[in-house]
Amino acid sequence: MIPRLAELNPVQTLYLDFLDTLKHQGFEGDLNPDYANRVVLATDNSIYQVLPQGVLYPKNTEDLVRIARLADQPRFHNVVLSARGGGTGTNGQSLTDGLIVDCSKYMNRILEINPDERWVRVQGGVVKDQLNKALKPYGLFFAPELSTSNRATIGGMINTDASGQGSVLYGKTRDHVLALKSVLLGGECWDSKAISDEELAVHQQREGLIGEIHRVVNQIFTDCKAQIDSCFPKLNRCLTGYDLAHIRDESGRFNLNSLLCGAEGSLAFIAEAKLNVLPIPKYAALVNVKYDSFESSLRDAKALMDWQPTSIETIDSKVLNLAMGDIVWDSVRDYFPQEEGEPTIRGINLIEYTSDDEQDLKAKVEALCQHLTQIKGQAGKSFGYSVVYGAAEINKVWAMRKKAVGLLGNAQGDKRPVAFVEDTAVPPENLADFIMEFRKVLDDRGLAYGMFGHVDAGVLHVRPALDMKDPEQEKMVREITDQVVVLTQKYKGLLWGEHGKGVRSEYAPEFFGELYPQLQRIKALFDPRNQMNPGKIATPSTVEGAQLLKIDQVPMRGQHDRQIPVDVRQTYDSAMHCNGNGACFNYDPQDAMCPSWKGTRQRIHSPKGRSSLIREWLKLMSQRGTDLNQEAKQVREAGFLTRLPKRLINTVRRDRGEYDFSNEVHEAMMGCLACKSCVGQCPIKVNVPDFRARFLEVYYGRYMRPVKDYLVGSLEFMIPALSRFPQPYNWAMQNPFIRAVMKRFAGMVDSPVICRHSLRQGLIERSVEFASVESIGRLTAAQRQRSVIIVQDAFTSYFETQLVLDLVDLLGRLGFNVMVAPFMPNGKPLHVHGFMKAFNKAAEKNAQMLKDLESSGIPLIGIDPSMTLTYRSEYKDIGDDLPKVQLIQEWLVDALKAFPVKGETTQHTFKLMAHCTEKTNAAPSIRQWQEVFAALGQKLEVLATGCCGMSGTFGHETQNYALSKEIYALSWSEIVNSPAHRGQLLATGYSCRSQVKRLDNQQLLHPVQALLGVVQTL
Ligand SMILES: Cc1cc2nc3c(=O)[nH]c(=O)nc-3n(C[C@H](O)[C@H](O)[C@H](O)COP(=O)(O)OP(=O)(O)OC[C@H]3O[C@@H](n4cnc5c(N)ncnc54)[C@H](O)[C@@H]3O)c2cc1C
Ligand code: SF4
Ligand code: SF4
């Protein structure tokens, strides 16, 4: 039995006092000193792991003021604060052992859009893509680009002075900051913007902190002009934060924002920002240029800058190959044709043009293309190119590039690409030589890596693959960084070209030289006691002995992870490799990832949150000598009664409030819908349902399971018997008293009713046989060729019988010989709830039956996507020799090619709301639906949707009902109720259809039913 985890790293009394006082002073947001929140926010996308004392989620600016004011009181002078947005920093920027102030949860409102004057006012926690979506109707956009645009916040972007593709034209974040509302330590709010000398003089006269800041900063600028000029590099990516070189803008106005942008939360909290926005260029084109070596693409990029593009990005073959192996390649493959006789593509330049004048754009693109044609095949030049016109298509290529960046992290094995020298910048003319030397540093150590970069700005992205659990490899972080620092100096560049400094601030004194004390003066003005994100960028001159962080002296994730035994790590493999890139915090409600986070906005309820908690739990268990693999074995072997008394006692104690960290992990796991969007969409393929099931198995070896788990787990086994007498069952499920009892005591709501017309009856009426060795044996060779076997699942067979019969009818009308496999439990509900032993047993039995049928050579197809995809994912637990059960459309798309339909149909337009598991784990199958519809003369649009909130039985569990409704409201509700879609919507998931029915009282059809309507006219 797993032990109770009670002795953890406790929150220091000082911090508990601080939180308590904040609460009494009316703090409106959330105060989270719980271990789960602390663990989840202990990492970002860096190699570091620093446990904070607690997490604060401020509701508004007043909350920030409350925090800053309280931290200024003498008794709290040792309290340390670090602001946080999306937490996508790559170098520990937002990590702290004090308090995290996460502005993304509540402070994410767009306050004002002024299209006439082209500016917006936003709170610090607004996500960049969220902003651009709101601006789109006005034809405007916020220009600074970054790969993490769907989760990085404006506050984070300002504080790292983020930029990316297109920076040569559009500059960095600070170039678009018009004004900032900051909350300074002490609680004073200050609105900063570019000001005239007269205004500066007025501010300098002020008493107190604001006056002092303006006096001292201006004095530093005046006194140290020569040093500033010589120290700050003249690069597109010049220094971020404390940017003295730009204290006065081109027109000579004084602008404090140059200090605040890029300050990494070390000076103030950014509550609000007024941002400059630009008109979306009307026309765009992308030229994809192919090379036989990465070096050629790099060197040629410099020459291609003469053709005046908006941006040039280079990617190497490693990155390209990763994209090619991912579903994302489906959307762009046509733009990277590999012609007969051409060399393998080893480098690509993506050259973008934008313009408001179509002719101008075309002229520029044609001029470049002529040039490319002329030099084609010359040594060091490209051997081919393609051109993409239009923002929608171009965005697909950029999306591929962004995704490939994430995919770099998905290397197999223990060596994983890690960020520490990932954003160097050198003058573009030096880039190719710099990279060749940089590669040598990595090649000499035999390290694997992928490279891509903004060649136009001289920025290189590279993440060497290291196993940070290995102390020897950990040492390379220091060795390589030191070497790269020397290289950047040699090529007149920067170590921190894009992502900010974070723990790499240790190189700041050396870099700034005699200017560094001025940075310390600035830090001291804002933060005299070193409370604001200490150790980053500069230490305050007022604190003697204050240290900057050192790249090898901050606790690293690998140091934690290596405490978990190898075989346990293997069992929980997918949780181990989450690298914190934050793709699971995608803000977009019309994206499948991750409904439980979107519905709660609690970071513990996200794939990253759950992976972090599991890793910590594994570590704590290992520290207490528990072998979790052994424990799982014992749970499987033990009879129900063996552990019953102890489990009962533990459960009573738990319910009386006895602390156990496993309960915090359990809470996070119970919020998971097991929709599997993380498995498909996380770049690292973190598989929460998999490790969640393993966790639940051993957790319930210590505690009692709720009744609903047994109901759900046994549903597939009981349903055939119940279906023989549907009336009493249905009466019970519809009886208000029994429903109330079910809700209160069994933990289930709105249980569906069994269809009264049985499948067996329907098949008999249609003379359709159940598949068996005998019935298959009776088929002629010609019949066999056109035969298909439908694999039943409990949900459609018993609760939506008509759909199975409609599929039989559709396939019959299309000329196929349909058979139906005898019903056998699939086991998925067992897996979801961690009944691993029972799942394995059910899966083995079912797999054997299906393998026997499959040996006839007749294809097997399943109706419900989630149940069908179980055969290729969860079933891997029982071995590799699995039956191949295809989704309907996967099979039908080819079957219709082999046996085309004759006759004309009337064209209709349908709109598909695909099941999350299907669209994220079998993405090409969505396009296959479109092909199937096209083959029958129909148009099928695929709608972007999030999760419906039902996901199997999740939404039927009492404890999840409210969240299930909340998730539905985020995305589905509006689409389902929109008159624009009336009568056209189709849904592939049983769960989705039943959710729409229960919450909006509408019956959506399955695509099969729409097609049946179509072929009936044939
Ligand atoms: C896969 C990947 C790709 C990336 N690509 C790019 C890229 O193309 N370009 C780029 O510039 N960066 C890139 N980054 C780095 C990162 O996404 C950016 O630095 C981003 O701006 C951070 O935003 P965030 O909201 O996640 O901030 P966080 O990581 O939460 O915080 C970043 C810093 O800002 C501070 N901060 C956050 N909010 C506030 C606030 N309200 N007030 C005061 N301080 C605050 C924090 O204290 C911290 O120091 C990438 C990261 C990853 C993982
Ligand atoms: S779960 Fe996946 S998407 Fe989320 S932070 Fe971890 S690696 Fe990134
Ligand atoms: S399975 Fe779905 S709900 Fe659960 S963590 Fe993954 S994306 Fe989130």
Side-chain angles (χ1 to χ4, degrees):
M1 185 170 289
I2 53 169
R4 185 163 76 94
L5 299 173
E7 277 100 53
L8 309 171
N9 188 329
V11 181
Q12 294 165 19
T13 323
L14 172 71
Y15 283 95
L16 286 175
D17 277 358
F18 186 84
L19 298 184
D20 212 36
T21 317
L22 257 188
K23 195 170 163 193
H24 284 103
Q25 292 187 348
F27 187 81
E28 292 169 56
D30 304 346
L31 301 167
N32 282 96
D34 55 284
Y35 199 59
N37 259 281
R38 293 167 66 201
V39 165
V40 172
L41 281 100
T43 54
D44 56 0
N45 180 230
S46 70
I47 51 178
Y48 302 100
Q49 179 164 337
V50 183
L51 189 70
Q53 296 294 316
V55 186
L56 310 180
Y57 298 98
K59 267 249 159 84
N60 44 39
T61 305
E62 290 69 44
D63 270 353
L64 289 177
V65 170
R66 287 183 185 105
I67 297 168
R69 201 190 297 134
L70 191 62
D72 199 39
Q73 289 189 4
R75 66 186 172 122
F76 293 122
H77 278 179
N78 287 329
V79 162
V80 161
L81 304 161
S82 176
R84 182 158 170 139
T88 62
T90 46
N91 304 94
Q93 281 86 347
S94 62
L95 303 187
T96 179
D97 55 5
L99 291 175
I100 286 190
V101 181
D102 187 331
C103 299
S104 68
K105 184 173 181 182
Y106 297 117
M107 295 187 64
N108 52 24
R109 282 188 303 128
I110 297 169
L111 302 168
E112 207 177 343
I113 299 181
N114 187 327
D116 298 329
E117 294 174 18
R118 290 198 196 142
W119 55 258
V120 288
R121 207 160 54 79
V122 299
Q123 290 185 310
V126 163
V127 167
K128 141 109 181 165
D129 279 358
Q130 173 196 355
L131 174 59
N132 276 348
K133 193 171 181 184
L135 288 170
K136 201 167 175 206
Y138 302 94
L140 298 170
F141 79 122
F142 178 58
E145 180 56 303
L146 76 177
S147 296
T148 45
S149 57
N150 59 17
R151 66 264 197 200
T153 61
I154 297 298
M157 288 183 74
I158 290 171
N159 273 279
T160 53
D161 201 2
S163 61
Q165 182 244 331
S167 70
V168 171
L169 184 69
Y170 296 123
K172 297 166 71 76
T173 298
R174 62 126 181 270
D175 297 313
H176 302 268
V177 170
L178 299 175
L180 294 176
K181 182 186 278 303
S182 311
V183 177
L184 308 179
L185 198 62
E188 193 164 1
C189 274
W190 182 245
D191 294 302
S192 49
K193 60 179 184 188
I195 51 173
S196 64
D197 276 349
E198 291 73 36
E199 287 168 295
L200 174 62
V202 173
H203 292 329
Q204 285 177 323
Q205 298 303 319
R206 286 172 67 119
E207 297 267 301
L209 184 57
I210 300 299
E212 201 185 347
I213 289 174
H214 285 85
R215 284 190 298 274
V216 175
V217 171
N218 192 43
Q219 191 197 356
I220 293 175
F221 181 76
T222 320
D223 294 351
C224 308
K225 208 158 179 336
Q227 290 150 310
I228 294 170
D229 276 353
S230 68
C231 176
F232 281 76
K234 311 281 176 292
L235 284 173
N236 163 271
R237 304 303 178 85
C238 60
L239 280 178
T240 57
Y242 299 50
D243 183 0
L244 291 165
H246 291 87
I247 275 291
R248 285 191 180 261
D249 63 19
E250 311 87 64
S251 43
R253 290 176 309 168
F254 180 92
N255 196 342
L256 210 52
N257 295 342
S258 297
L259 294 186
L260 294 168
C261 291
E264 299 183 11
S266 67
L267 299 180
F269 296 123
I270 302 298
E272 288 175 21
K274 183 177 167 189
L275 306 168
N276 169 48
V277 291
L278 299 174
I280 298 170
K282 287 204 181 95
Y283 303 98
L286 188 69
V287 186
N288 309 306
V289 191
K290 302 183 285 183
Y291 298 83
D292 61 3
S293 83
F294 182 50
E295 184 173 354
S296 300
S297 56
L298 283 171
R299 293 197 186 281
D300 199 30
K302 182 74 192 72
L304 294 175
M305 281 304 289
D306 294 347
W307 300 89
Q308 295 173 334
T310 308
S311 71
I312 303 191
E313 297 269 303
T314 303
I315 51 181
D316 77 355
S317 54
K318 173 94 186 249
V319 176
L320 198 67
N321 286 336
L322 282 170
M324 284 176 178
D326 188 81
I327 50 168
V328 75
W329 194 248
D330 258 11
S331 57
V332 297
R333 80 170 63 240
D334 294 348
Y335 303 130
F336 301 93
Q338 184 87 53
E339 310 289 351
E340 194 76 30
E342 275 186 355
T344 311
I345 310 174
R346 294 224 158 77
I348 285 205
N349 278 327
L350 304 171
I351 307 178
E352 186 169 28
Y353 286 92
T354 52
S355 176
D356 285 339
D357 177 343
E358 194 172 10
Q359 292 315 317
D360 166 64
L361 180 96
K362 283 202 164 140
K364 281 185 180 154
V365 171
E366 274 162 27
L368 173 68
C369 292
Q370 263 183 20
H371 166 72
L372 290 172
T373 310
Q374 274 167 14
I375 57 164
K376 182 176 171 179
Q378 289 177 14
K381 297 294 176 188
S382 75
F383 61 80
Y385 65 86
S386 69
V387 186
V388 189
Y389 280 102
E393 288 306 294
I394 291 171
N395 283 341
K396 287 184 188 166
V397 179
W398 290 130
M400 175 276 285
R401 213 285 268 141
K402 282 187 186 179
K403 177 106 191 256
V405 176
L407 291 170
L408 270 175
N410 191 28
Q412 294 308 301
D414 282 324
K415 288 187 177 181
R416 299 278 168 147
V418 285
F420 60 103
V421 282
E422 81 290 355
D423 62 334
T424 52
V426 295
E429 60 274 18
N430 296 344
L431 186 63
D433 291 329
F434 168 72
I435 289 184
M436 292 310 125
E437 285 203 53
F438 196 143
R439 290 180 86 139
K440 189 164 178 328
V441 171
L442 305 178
D443 291 340
D444 285 349
R445 292 178 170 80
L447 299 178
Y449 55 89
M451 285 187 167
F452 65 98
H454 317 297
V455 269
D456 49 3
V459 174
L460 169 74
H461 289 308
V462 57
R463 294 184 179 215
L466 295 176
D467 178 3
M468 292 297 292
K469 297 186 292 306
D470 173 359
E472 288 308 307
Q473 294 186 52
E474 183 191 303
K475 285 185 197 149
M476 287 193 213
V477 170
R478 160 68 63 196
E479 295 162 14
I480 294 172
T481 313
D482 283 347
Q483 271 184 282
V484 172
V485 167
V486 173
L487 270 185
T488 51
Q489 283 163 350
K490 175 176 168 187
Y491 287 99
K492 304 195 174 358
L494 294 167
L495 172 65
W496 40 69
E498 191 172 274
H499 300 164
K501 301 183 184 67
V503 299
R504 303 178 300 178
S505 298
E506 72 162 278
Y507 296 97
E510 188 187 333
F511 181 87
F512 287 99
E514 50 190 20
L515 255 190
Y516 182 69
Q518 305 305 334
L519 267 60
Q520 291 187 290
R521 270 178 84 192
I522 292 170
K523 169 78 175 170
L525 279 173
F526 285 85
D527 181 21
R529 291 174 303 274
N530 210 13
Q531 290 175 273
M532 301 291 282
N533 214 0
K536 319 271 166 72
I537 303 191
T539 55
S541 51
T542 36
V543 179
E544 213 176 304
Q547 296 286 317
L548 287 169
L549 296 173
K550 302 234 172 343
I551 57 168
D552 46 4
Q553 285 173 28
V554 174
M556 294 188 190
R557 243 196 68 185
Q559 295 160 357
H560 291 266
D561 292 351
R562 72 174 69 125
Q563 297 176 43
I564 305 167
V566 177
D567 53 343
V568 176
R569 274 188 236 148
Q570 278 161 357
T571 309
Y572 291 84
D573 192 44
S574 71
M576 295 306 304
H577 294 302
C578 161
N579 68 13
N581 65 68
C584 47
F585 299 121
N586 184 340
Y587 93 96
D588 186 358
Q590 311 301 4
D591 184 277
M593 181 91 115
C594 151
S596 60
W597 177 69
K598 287 200 178 109
T600 60
R601 289 295 292 223
Q602 290 187 39
R603 296 215 188 262
I604 59 162
H605 286 299
S606 68
K608 170 172 173 166
R610 296 184 175 112
S611 315
S612 309
L613 290 172
I614 282 288
R615 286 198 310 275
E616 183 68 12
W617 179 75
L618 295 175
K619 183 187 83 181
L620 294 171
M621 285 293 171
S622 310
Q623 284 174 349
R624 282 153 182 78
T626 306
D627 180 337
L628 284 163
N629 286 342
Q630 200 53 36
E631 176 61 25
K633 204 163 159 250
Q634 282 169 12
V635 170
R636 287 178 200 195
E637 282 165 5
F640 180 78
L641 293 176
T642 329
R643 293 182 169 204
L644 189 61
K646 276 195 174 169
R647 287 167 69 211
L648 270 170
I649 294 168
N650 291 337
T651 308
V652 171
R653 285 184 176 157
R654 177 194 68 187
D655 296 348
R656 284 186 183 160
E658 186 178 72
Y659 181 79
D660 180 356
F661 175 57
S662 297
N663 296 329
E664 289 188 52
V665 183
H666 179 255
E667 189 200 329
M669 297 302 156
M670 294 322 285
C672 170
L673 287 85
C675 70
K676 300 189 75 173
S677 295
C678 46
V679 189
Q681 283 195 323
C682 157
I684 314 301
K685 314 287 180 229
V686 161
N687 186 339
V688 176
D690 177 71
F691 62 70
R692 171 186 188 267
R694 295 178 201 286
F695 167 81
L696 291 179
E697 179 175 40
V698 289
Y699 177 82
Y700 288 123
R702 178 179 171 86
Y703 295 103
M704 297 298 292
R705 275 183 178 279
V707 178
K708 57 135 181 98
D709 280 20
Y710 295 103
L711 291 178
V712 174
S714 59
L715 177 84
E716 287 191 293
F717 298 85
M718 295 188 313
I719 199 79
L722 291 172
S723 71
R724 295 213 189 121
F725 314 101
Q727 279 94 340
Y729 174 86
N730 291 347
W731 173 84
M733 290 304 128
Q734 288 169 325
N735 178 288
F737 175 72
I738 296 180
R739 282 166 71 94
V741 170
M742 288 282 291
K743 184 175 174 187
R744 176 93 173 76
F745 298 104
M748 301 296 294
V749 285
D750 302 335
S751 295
V753 291
I754 297 172
C755 293
R756 292 170 67 169
H757 188 62
S758 79
L759 181 63
R760 179 174 290 275
Q761 191 59 37
L763 295 179
I764 292 170
E765 284 160 16
R766 288 163 176 76
S767 309
V768 169
E769 289 199 77
F770 279 102
S772 66
V773 178
E774 297 75 43
S775 60
I776 293 172
R778 286 196 294 274
L779 297 175
T780 64
Q783 281 174 320
R784 246 172 214 253
Q785 256 203 332
R786 294 189 78 127
S787 288
V788 62
I789 299 174
I790 297 174
V791 177
Q792 297 190 59
D793 66 81
F795 296 105
T796 41
S797 285
Y798 294 99
F799 298 117
E800 243 187 350
T801 314
Q802 188 55 44
L803 172 56
V804 188
L805 295 173
D806 286 344
L807 176 61
V808 170
D809 291 344
L810 171 73
L811 297 181
R813 280 183 174 267
L814 294 175
F816 296 101
N817 177 50
V818 188
M819 304 180 97
V820 177
F823 176 78
M824 240 186 216
N826 158 304
K828 167 114 183 168
L830 290 168
H831 192 277
V832 168
H833 288 87
F835 291 100
M836 302 305 272
K837 183 178 168 191
F839 167 75
N840 285 351
K841 209 168 146 197
E844 275 162 17
K845 214 167 153 201
N846 193 25
Q848 190 51 55
M849 188 264 292
L850 295 174
K851 288 233 33 116
D852 290 346
L853 296 179
E854 189 187 37
S855 63
S856 66
I858 300 176
L860 307 175
I861 57 170
I863 302 179
D864 187 70
S866 163
M867 299 293 269
T868 306
L869 292 170
T870 306
Y871 296 115
R872 58 188 90 161
S873 50
E874 285 82 354
Y875 269 43
K876 281 191 184 140
D877 268 6
I878 58 164
D880 294 329
D881 186 21
L882 299 173
K884 181 178 173 191
V885 186
Q886 299 181 77
L887 295 165
I888 301 169
Q889 68 275 26
E890 288 175 330
W891 165 76
L892 195 52
V893 74
D894 289 332
L896 285 177
K897 281 179 200 150
F899 304 102
V901 183
K902 296 186 184 69
E904 290 281 307
T905 54
T906 320
Q907 195 192 57
H908 301 277
T909 298
F910 297 99
K911 294 175 179 169
L912 183 67
M913 301 177 83
H915 188 282
C916 288
T917 314
E918 181 181 31
K919 69 183 174 214
T920 56
N921 287 251
S925 71
I926 305 304
R927 204 189 55 236
Q928 286 162 339
W929 267 130
Q930 290 181 299
E931 289 175 34
V932 167
F933 271 63
L936 293 171
Q938 305 303 306
K939 193 159 174 251
L940 182 68
E941 277 175 33
V942 178
L943 299 183
T945 52
C947 173
C948 72
M950 176 55 86
S951 196
T953 54
F954 180 89
H956 284 303
E957 297 180 17
T958 312
Q959 65 187 27
N960 302 331
Y961 181 66
L963 177 59
S964 172
K965 267 175 66 174
E966 178 83 35
I967 295 170
Y968 182 78
L970 288 174
S971 163
W972 278 60
S973 173
E974 196 183 328
I975 299 173
V976 167
N977 292 304
S978 161
H981 305 311
R982 191 153 299 147
Q984 296 180 313
L985 295 177
L986 308 176
T988 45
Y990 164 77
S991 321
C992 317
R993 291 187 298 277
S994 62
Q995 179 80 322
V996 172
K997 194 165 173 202
R998 91 167 164 165
L999 296 182
D1000 269 325
N1001 201 21
Q1002 291 189 42
Q1003 181 64 58
L1004 298 192
L1005 295 183
H1006 186 280
V1008 154
Q1009 293 169 313
L1011 290 178
L1012 179 61
V1014 168
V1015 298
Q1016 271 163 352
T1017 64
L1018 272 177

